[in-house]
Amino acid sequence: MKIFAVGMNYILHNKELDGTLYKPEEPVIFTKADSSLLRDGKPFFLPDDLGRIEYEAELVVRICRLGKSIPVRFAHRYYDAVTVGVDFTARELQRKLRAEGKPWDLCKSFDGAAVVGQWVDKALLPDVGALRFRLDVNGRTAQEGCSADMLFKIDELIAYISRWFTFKTGDLLYTGTPAGVGPVSVNDRLTGWLEDRKVLEFNVK
């Protein structure tokens, strides 16, 4: 199983990170190790040696068939379910790695850094191109997003990534985070919502 993720896919989050509104020329793609996957509501254990850890709520799609060099017009056939996930990020380390032009693996792919919620069949959802989602931290809304605001849409991302990688059944795609990222602390409780469905709930230990 491969875990793909997208950086800088919401323009307000880009301003949040870098102080300016901009759209990358091409999608910013990185991968996460399969050992970073955290599911079934299991707690996230806060690393004590990576500095500030921030949540990034994202829509996640599940790949359902083998595919390579997929045209955009056919990309919708390659995923069957959607959920909300959290892409945990060691923010201080990320800033250091970006400044040095190094890959993001160390700040994005540590154990537990890819939380995934319960899957919802795509057929049960309204337009995937306009899905609303949010993340609550300790009962208060911390992030809200809509797939309509993505700079690169889901089908575009699948087509782009498949130019280099063969998608296989069960692969995951984290599609980027909207503005509102922030730090987590021990004893925080995070809850994710897809439209009006609660699909994610876990504690920070």
Side-chain angles (χ1 to χ4, degrees):
M1 183 195 68
K2 300 183 292 298
I3 303 174
F4 298 99
V6 183
M8 303 175 185
N9 202 27
Y10 288 82
I11 199 163
L12 291 179
H13 174 60
N14 296 348
K15 182 177 181 180
E16 181 177 57
L17 282 185
D18 296 326
T20 184
L21 299 171
Y22 67 94
K23 178 180 179 178
E25 292 185 7
E26 296 180 321
V28 176
I29 306 298
F30 59 96
T31 60
K32 287 174 167 280
D34 58 4
S35 57
S36 69
L37 191 62
L38 185 66
R39 52 189 161 192
D40 301 325
K42 293 179 180 177
F44 170 69
F45 288 92
L46 195 65
D48 58 8
D49 58 348
L50 291 179
R52 179 186 174 105
I53 304 296
E54 294 191 350
Y55 56 79
E56 296 188 5
E58 314 199 1
L59 288 178
V60 186
V61 299
R62 183 178 68 191
I63 301 300
C64 63
R65 60 193 298 184
L66 187 72
K68 179 76 164 67
S69 300
I70 302 164
V72 173
R73 67 183 183 277
F74 296 137
H76 67 279
R77 302 178 181 177
Y78 287 82
Y79 58 101
D80 64 349
V82 183
T83 191
V84 174
V86 175
D87 168 23
F88 277 120
T89 304
R91 188 66 69 200
E92 295 157 336
L93 178 57
Q94 184 191 36
R95 292 193 180 103
K96 180 176 183 292
L97 293 171
R98 289 182 69 193
E100 296 172 355
K102 294 180 179 178
W104 294 4
D105 302 60
L106 298 180
C107 69
K108 289 280 195 178
S109 193
F110 51 90
D111 289 355
V115 188
V116 67
Q118 298 172 344
W119 295 106
V120 179
D121 191 311
K122 187 173 66 172
L124 301 177
L125 293 167
D127 180 10
V128 174
L131 285 177
R132 297 191 175 278
F133 64 101
R134 78 173 198 265
L135 181 73
D136 294 348
V137 179
N138 300 324
R140 301 183 64 178
T141 297
Q143 279 187 283
E144 293 182 282
C146 180
S147 59
D149 296 328
M150 291 180 181
L151 297 174
F152 300 97
K153 310 305 183 188
I154 293 172
D155 291 357
E156 294 175 297
L157 294 170
I158 288 175
Y160 181 82
I161 293 169
S162 71
R163 290 166 56 187
W164 288 274
F165 299 92
T166 297
F167 278 115
K168 294 184 178 181
T169 300
D171 288 348
L172 305 182
L173 172 59
Y174 284 68
T175 58
T177 193
V181 302
V184 289
S185 302
V186 173
N187 296 323
D188 282 347
R189 186 165 186 82
L190 277 63
T191 309
W193 300 81
L194 179 59
E195 295 289 336
D196 59 351
R197 300 169 184 259
K198 183 168 70 173
V199 296
L200 179 69
E201 192 165 30
F202 66 99
N203 295 322
V204 179
K205 298 288 189 180

